[in-house]
Each structure stands twice: as C-alpha cells, then as structure tokens.
Amino acid sequence: MDDLPPPSLPLGGTLGPYRILELINIGGMAEIYLSEVLDVQGRRRQLALKVIHAELADDPRFVQMLKDEATLAVGLDHPHIVQTFDLGCVDNVFFLPMEYIDGFDLFKLLKRVTKGGGQLPVSVALFITHKMLSGLQYAHEKHDAQGQPLTIIHRDISPQNILLSRQGAVKLVDFGIAKAANLSSRTRAGMIKGKLVYMSPEQSFGEKLDQRSDLYSAGVVLYEALTGRSLYTENNPVQLIQMVRRAEIPPPSTLRPELGDVDGLVMRALQRSPDDRYQSAREFHAVLAEELQRQAPNYDAQALGGFMRSVLDEQEDAPRRVTMRRDHFPVPRHSVIPSQQEMNDQVPQEMSDQVPAGDLTLTPGPRDPSAPVGRVLLFEEGRETTSYDIDGQFVLGRGGDLRLTDGRVSRQHARIVFHESAYLLEDLHSSNGTFLNEQKINEIRELKHGDRIRIGPFQLQFALEGKPMNALVAPSGEYEPQQPAATASATAPRADIRSTKEEASPAEATTPQTRVACFKTALGDETLRIPITTKLTLGQSLDVSGDRIDGPAATVLRRGDAYWIEPTPLREVVTVNGQQVVRPRQLSSGDRVEMGSLELVFFPPAES
C-alpha cells in the first residue's frame, strides 16, 4: 500500500519461521504483515503476522497482559472470529501469527462506499453486524474445560476490527488485545481519538466493564454502517470524551430517513445505562436475525462477497490464496505461551496423568496369530475414516497411540487390550469418561465387532478383521439414546468443514417407502421438506430458502425410535424452542430448530 510508511521489518526477510512478504497495515499497537510459513506437511501457506511495536514490548506489564490475553485468544475457534495461532518472540520482538483474511476491514469498505456520496445497503450493514455478533456471542459465552465462564470482553469493537473477505466471510479480530494495550502509557498519536468514538460511556469513565460494554460498541458500529457517518465528529479529545459520556445520540433516521424501521433496535444498543441495553450478545443477535429475515431473507455470504467484489470493481472471484488454518499450524519454536497442542490440552495435569506407565489393571497378552486383528476406526468430519490396528494394547488419548487432540480428552484416556483371547476396553480414570455404545463405562468391557466408542467429541468404532463392513451400521433400536454430557465443550476437534449429505443405512436403502422423520421450513408460499433417515448434518452446504449455515452447526441422529440433535462445538449457535443446544437433546414433534434467521420444524415419521 503506497500510503503506508516504510516497514520496520525487511520484506523478504524472516522472523522466526515466518518469511515476511508484504506490509498490510499499521495500527496503534502493531504492524501487520502478510507472511508465509511451512505447514505441518511442509507446504507453504500464508498468514497474517501481527508484530507488536518495539516500544510496547519494553513495558513488562504490557508483555504479561499480552501473554495472558493471547492465551485466551488462541483458544477461540469460531467461523466469525479470526483465528490466532500463537504468540511468539524473537530477540524481544513479539508477534501474533493469525489467520489471513483476503479482503479489507469494515472501515475501509465504508470509506470506499461513501466516498462518492453512496450508502451501504441496509441488508449489508445488518448482515455484517449479525455475523459479527455471532462471533461475539461465542466469545462471551466461552467456558473453560471445567465449565467455568471465561468472561471474555473484547473492549475494542470497531469497524477496523471487523474483517471482510472477498468471498463474503465476516471475522472479528483482536480479542483481548485492547486490554493489554490499555495498560501501556506509550499510546500512539491518534489512537485515543479513534478508540473513544466506539467506547461505551462506562468504559470512557474507566469503570469496571462487563460484556454489555461490547454491545454498546457493536451498536456504534451498526449506527455508522447504516448512516455512513461517524457517530461523533468532534476533534478535540476533551470535548469528545464528554460527548461519549453523555451518549446523547440522535436516531439513525435523522441522517437517513428510510431507517425508521431500525431506529428502535439500534438505539436500544446505544443506551447510556447498561441495564437499558441488550443484556447479551445472544439477545442482540436474535433481534438482528429477525430484522434481517424481514428485510432481506435471502441475503447470505455469497451476496456479501458479490458486493465486496463490486466495490473492488472485480468482475470475478480473485484467485484464492493458500491461507493457514489452525489444523495446518506447525508446532511453534518461538512461542511464549503453551504450544497449540497444549492449548487444546485444557484438562489439569493432575487429572490427565493419573495413570502412570506400569500401573494398569490389565496385562496385555500376545495375540494368537489365528485370532482376527482388532482395529479402531476414527470418524472425523471432513476427513476419510482412518483405521488403526491393535497390537497387544492401544492407548487412546492426547498422549496415546491414537492422539486425540481436544481439551475434553485426557492424556491417557482409555485403552484397548488384547487379554485372554478377547479385546477389552478400559477407561483410565479419565476426567470426562469413556462411552461404549453411548453408555458410560465404569468397568472393563469386552469389545464386539461394530461397537461404538466415544471419547470427548471423537467417534470411534471397533472392528475385527474379516468381518463384513456393513455390519458396522447399527440397526434401528440397537443403541440407547445418548445421555446429555456432564461437562460443556471447550474445544472442538480439528476437522475440515465440508459439504455433507444425509446418510441412510443399507436396510433403509432397500425400503424407500419407509416413512422417515423430517424438517419442514417455509420456502415462499410453499413448504420445503428435508427428510432425516439415519443422520442429517446441518453444515456448510445446507442452503434453505437462501439461508446458508457457516460450518457444521449440528447433527441430527436417529437412535432407536428417537431423534437427537447434537450441536457441533464452537460453531453457529443452534436453539430448540428458543433455548440454546449445548449438549445432545431429543427432538419432539413440532420442535423449532433455529440457526440465525433459519427456522426448521421437526416432525417424527408418523407426522412427516
């Protein structure tokens, strides 16, 4: 970019394992570079590298807060939050490797659109804010591995921190970093004024904040997106802070008359007292979803991507960069916080290492060569099923023979042992339990061909060599419905998002006339019926009445005669009859399943 000053780092040089390609932007706290690194498979991938200004790195209070907040940020995994991979340091230069978004921020979009007197379409402003609030809601409601709320507050919701890709993705960036920046007295010129505009009144007074402060800032962002003008135009910082504290704001329709229908929802977010605002990001998100459904029910990420390209005067999709995702990230060599795997390993050490080697209750025995080989099949969303042979014993866990990287999985969680001509499953005093055919086991159990094993969010199946594979499909009624998990999810397993289709058992495939359950949803003047046989994944490919769900949101499974909905951790919020689904829940006739502005009504086979 021609209007940027010279970069502090030489282009083409390296910082730790990262090669610096281009200076993207400079902010009050850091320089942002486009960089590349070798992924875990040795391929070059691009990411954004946020390099902290040197003068800030000299402040020990800032550095400690940066470490604490970066540790939280690395644990956030949501479609509408920019992924932070690590916090590294080389020669006292601190840097944050982050997901690169090929596009620009909302501030630059507003500048381009309004430069010639134009206005951002209302549907675009509502959609961007709605998706941003989805990420904010996830962060606000985040819990640790023990189920305790983390009480995350962003503190710097602003158009500059809402990134938009050419493909229509909406991503919130810089969680927690403002808290560290506020500690430093070495604030750059212009930084205070730019941040003051988006501060809540209580934040400008320096009071203790709660999450409702973020909702006020989100309201300011929506106000400016709708009106195309800054909430305050005062240049004197003393006068400006007084205006922020008074919060005397005219309705958006005074600047853009056609906004009368949204005055109420915007002004509620901008109330001076936190008690008069929306009380949660979930509530604000739901109100925006209703308004978006009323004004632009078919607006989706594809439409936003088309608008972005029109602003950029691009006729077709720009070539997609080979960017980095969290599961591509290599083990960091210069990290000053726990490594990525350790960040996922959120179970306390005293809980995860309770079973030292040599202190197991079963002694593995040699397998008779004539006996069938036992295997474990691992099913992961978006990946091919993988198979692992069992030789003597096979430990499942974060530090086992099959490494399952997730905060709900202990280091040595469970094991399969060949003992006296049988394969036995043993839970190794794990913190969250081991489930066999959806029943939590408290004692050693013998495994049979086709048995299903669940550890945390991971689905596995035991198989014997030579047995027919179609025997692995559980017949109707074989398993009891899964009971709700006792602890809330903290971290999702690493899996690519992919398009998914409904899967039916071989028995159902031969009896197409069998009545099955279904979802129904309004499609104009008609009703669309979505059948559910054995499994229906509500994922990225689901597009109903123009509403697209970003990422796998939930899975509906048939167990016996019952249908259960299981949410996908860290993805789009799913509600049943207005209540968020945080653990598996059985569906009943007429239940309303909602994801954003999409509403599906469940009907069992007898009523479908």
Side-chain angles (χ1 to χ4, degrees):
M1 298 179 64
D2 296 336
D3 55 344
L4 292 177
S8 299
L9 299 179
L11 302 185
T14 59
L15 182 60
Y18 309 101
R19 190 163 77 90
I20 308 299
L21 301 178
E22 175 187 343
L23 178 64
I24 301 174
N25 204 354
I26 295 180
M29 197 184 79
E31 293 179 329
I32 315 295
Y33 293 90
L34 176 65
S35 65
E36 67 178 12
V37 68
L38 296 179
D39 68 9
V40 291
Q41 296 181 342
R43 294 176 295 187
R44 293 193 178 277
R45 293 187 180 270
Q46 293 185 342
L47 46 72
L49 202 63
K50 188 162 197 162
V51 181
I52 306 300
H53 293 313
E55 62 267 27
L56 295 176
D58 292 335
D59 186 337
R61 295 182 307 156
F62 171 84
V63 170
Q64 185 55 53
M65 182 65 74
L66 182 64
K67 292 177 182 178
D68 294 342
E69 294 301 312
T71 300
L72 283 179
V74 169
L76 298 178
D77 190 356
H78 189 273
H80 299 301
I81 295 177
V82 172
Q83 291 187 336
T84 300
F85 302 126
D86 187 30
L87 172 63
C89 183
V90 174
D91 297 330
N92 205 40
V93 176
F94 287 88
F95 50 88
L96 292 148
M98 308 174 80
E99 177 186 9
Y100 174 68
I101 307 302
D102 187 16
F104 45 81
D105 60 47
L106 178 58
F107 177 76
K108 291 180 181 175
L109 176 65
L110 287 170
K111 282 189 66 175
R112 294 196 184 204
V113 170
T114 59
K115 186 176 182 180
Q119 295 278 13
L120 198 67
V122 174
S123 56
V124 175
L126 292 175
F127 182 81
I128 290 173
T129 312
H130 174 255
K131 294 303 180 185
M132 179 271 290
L133 280 168
S134 176
L136 188 62
Q137 174 185 327
Y138 159 79
H140 280 182
E141 297 177 353
K142 178 78 172 173
H143 288 66
D144 63 18
Q146 289 72 50
Q148 298 301 312
L150 292 174
T151 320
I152 294 173
I153 305 172
H154 189 287
R155 289 180 169 81
D156 192 15
I157 302 293
S158 63
Q160 293 88 341
N161 283 334
I162 300 172
L163 306 187
L164 311 169
S165 80
R166 283 174 166 81
Q167 288 72 44
V170 180
K171 303 264 188 173
L172 189 55
V173 69
D174 276 2
F175 266 94
I177 303 304
K179 187 175 182 181
N182 288 343
L183 280 180
S184 177
S185 60
R186 304 172 186 180
T187 307
R188 296 197 160 200
M191 185 176 177
I192 284 291
K193 180 182 180 298
K195 300 306 180 185
L196 267 178
V197 174
Y198 304 98
M199 283 185 180
S200 65
E202 62 269 26
Q203 188 176 6
S204 70
F205 277 108
E207 298 174 358
K208 184 177 181 180
L209 302 183
D210 63 27
Q211 294 170 335
R212 293 174 296 181
S213 177
D214 282 346
L215 305 186
Y216 182 94
S217 302
V220 178
V221 169
L222 179 57
Y223 187 101
E224 294 188 350
L226 289 168
T227 64
R229 296 173 61 176
S230 177
L231 187 61
Y232 304 111
T233 56
E234 177 61 55
N235 289 319
N236 185 308
V238 176
Q239 297 290 334
L240 177 58
I241 197 169
Q242 291 177 352
M243 296 174 70
V244 171
R245 290 172 175 176
R246 289 195 299 267
E248 296 172 351
I249 303 166
S253 61
T254 60
L255 299 174
R256 190 176 175 184
E258 67 267 29
L259 296 176
D261 289 345
V262 299
D263 273 350
L265 70 86
V266 177
M267 297 308 295
R268 185 178 173 191
L270 296 175
Q271 293 301 300
R272 187 175 184 277
S273 170
D275 293 339
D276 295 331
R277 299 175 202 151
Y278 300 106
Q279 295 302 290
S280 68
R282 174 181 299 281
E283 183 183 8
F284 196 178
H285 178 268
V287 170
L288 274 181
E290 292 179 3
E291 186 62 27
L292 193 59
Q293 175 67 21
R294 189 180 70 81
Q295 293 211 27
N298 297 325
Y299 204 88
D300 58 8
Q302 184 176 359
L304 177 60
F307 178 77
M308 290 282 292
R309 294 190 296 276
S310 70
V311 172
L312 292 167
D313 197 24
E314 294 177 352
Q315 299 301 315
E316 299 179 356
D317 286 336
R320 296 197 178 193
R321 299 174 183 264
V322 185
T323 54
M324 181 76 73
R325 290 199 316 269
R326 184 160 310 202
D327 53 345
H328 296 147
F329 198 76
V331 177
R333 296 168 48 199
H334 305 283
S335 178
V336 296
I337 61 174
S339 69
Q340 181 60 56
Q341 177 166 330
E342 290 301 315
M343 283 304 305
N344 290 329
D345 298 347
Q346 298 180 41
V347 179
Q349 187 77 14
E350 63 270 16
M351 296 175 65
S352 60
D353 288 335
Q354 291 185 26
V355 187
D359 190 26
L360 303 176
T361 57
L362 289 174
T363 302
R367 183 177 59 83
D368 186 335
S370 63
V373 175
R375 292 190 174 124
V376 172
L377 308 178
L378 173 63
F379 302 92
E380 289 187 277
E381 188 73 39
R383 297 185 179 184
E384 294 184 2
T385 299
T386 48
S387 175
Y388 303 87
D389 289 351
I390 302 167
D391 184 14
Q393 76 167 358
F394 192 78
V395 177
L396 310 168
R398 300 196 322 267
D401 300 299
L402 174 53
R403 294 179 180 270
L404 304 174
T405 305
D406 187 272
R408 290 156 288 183
V409 179
S410 301
R411 291 182 184 276
Q412 296 184 37
H413 195 107
R415 68 168 185 157
I416 299 172
V417 177
F418 187 80
H419 180 79
E420 296 183 355
S421 305
Y423 288 93
L424 306 177
L425 176 65
E426 179 183 26
D427 179 77
L428 300 179
H429 307 293
S430 64
S431 56
N432 291 322
T434 302
F435 293 80
L436 178 62
N437 299 332
E438 297 305 341
Q439 297 295 319
K440 187 174 182 179
I441 63 171
N442 297 312
E443 57 186 19
I444 297 169
R445 300 281 297 275
E446 181 177 350
L447 288 171
K448 298 178 182 178
H449 180 70
D451 277 348
R452 295 178 183 270
I453 303 168
R454 179 166 61 83
I455 292 178
F458 295 95
Q459 300 288 342
L460 307 103
Q461 199 157 30
F462 176 74
L464 290 172
E465 183 182 41
K467 294 277 188 176
M469 291 301 292
N470 60 8
L472 298 182
V473 179
S476 176
E478 180 175 332
Y479 301 136
E480 293 295 324
Q482 176 180 339
Q483 298 301 314
T487 56
S489 153
T491 308
R494 300 293 159 251
D496 294 332
I497 299 176
R498 64 163 184 165
S499 300
T500 54
K501 295 183 179 180
E502 185 180 349
E503 301 171 5
S505 68
E508 290 165 336
T510 61
T511 56
Q513 287 77 25
T514 301
R515 293 185 67 85
V516 296
C518 74
F519 281 126
K520 295 181 182 178
T521 187
L523 182 62
D525 296 330
E526 300 180 0
T527 299
L528 178 65
R529 181 179 180 275
I530 307 170
I532 311 166
T533 53
T534 301
K535 174 183 178 182
L536 177 66
T537 301
L538 305 179
Q540 190 178 27
S541 66
L542 183 65
D543 195 332
V544 179
S545 189
D547 291 293
R548 184 165 179 165
I549 302 169
D550 298 325
T555 303
V556 179
L557 299 167
R558 191 189 72 192
R559 295 191 178 93
D561 295 328
Y563 289 80
W564 289 70
I565 184 167
E566 296 185 1
T568 301
L570 315 179
R571 295 297 180 188
E572 187 82 10
V573 171
V574 179
T575 65
V576 175
N577 301 330
Q579 299 294 319
Q580 183 182 2
V581 182
V582 296
R583 51 178 58 91
R585 170 173 175 163
Q586 187 172 346
L587 291 172
S588 301
S589 176
D591 279 350
R592 291 181 297 105
V593 177
E594 295 180 81
M595 290 162 285
S597 59
L598 179 65
E599 179 176 312
L600 304 168
V601 182
F602 174 76
F603 292 93
E607 303 175 25
S608 64

